[in-house]
Amino acid sequence: MILGILFTIQNKKTKAIDLSQKFEISTRTVYRYIDILCGAGVPILSKTGKDGGFYIADYYKVREFFLTREEKQYLIELLSTKDDQNAKYLKLKFSAIGTF
């Protein structure tokens, strides 16, 4: 789930409540995961208000070495068991960031 949050906020600004609903976790858990990602060096920013939410600084991109080869392969295999558009999209994305 923490990687799901990472990839979601990398693509667009997202509110904690929306993340909690998407991943079926509490908003408190979302805040905990955001803290963990910040502690790992991911520059997460937040904006308050109607158009607020969490997002990752424009200059930061998840690099290929962020995940080990085994972790990427595991995620691809896991996503292969899902039959929805999001899973297919993520599978393609993970396949593109590493050679197996």
Side-chain angles (χ1 to χ4, degrees):
M1 276 189 241
I2 196 164
L3 287 177
I5 290 173
L6 174 68
F7 289 120
T8 300
I9 65 175
Q10 182 176 356
N11 294 324
K12 66 176 185 169
K13 192 181 317 167
T14 311
K15 295 179 185 211
I17 188 71
D18 295 331
L19 290 168
S20 70
Q21 291 171 352
K22 179 176 182 169
F23 295 105
E24 298 179 356
I25 56 177
S26 71
T27 52
R28 178 67 195 122
T29 300
V30 169
Y31 290 121
R32 228 180 338 227
Y33 286 165
I34 294 292
D35 285 342
I36 290 169
L37 289 168
C38 288
V42 179
I44 297 176
L45 306 171
S46 65
K47 182 179 177 186
T48 60
K50 179 182 170 192
D51 296 321
F54 291 107
Y55 60 101
I56 295 178
D58 291 338
Y59 64 86
Y60 185 83
K61 299 293 178 213
V62 176
R63 299 180 187 222
E64 182 178 333
F65 59 82
F66 186 77
L67 299 171
T68 66
R69 178 179 292 213
E70 292 79 20
E71 290 169 332
K72 287 184 254 180
Q73 185 62 42
Y74 175 76
L75 289 171
I76 289 170
E77 290 169 7
L78 187 63
L79 289 168
S80 296
T81 66
K82 300 287 185 182
D83 190 30
D84 63 55
Q85 286 300 89
N86 288 334
K88 290 176 185 176
Y89 175 73
L90 285 173
K91 182 181 174 190
L92 287 172
K93 230 174 161 176
F94 281 122
S95 296
I97 62 172
T99 305
F100 299 104

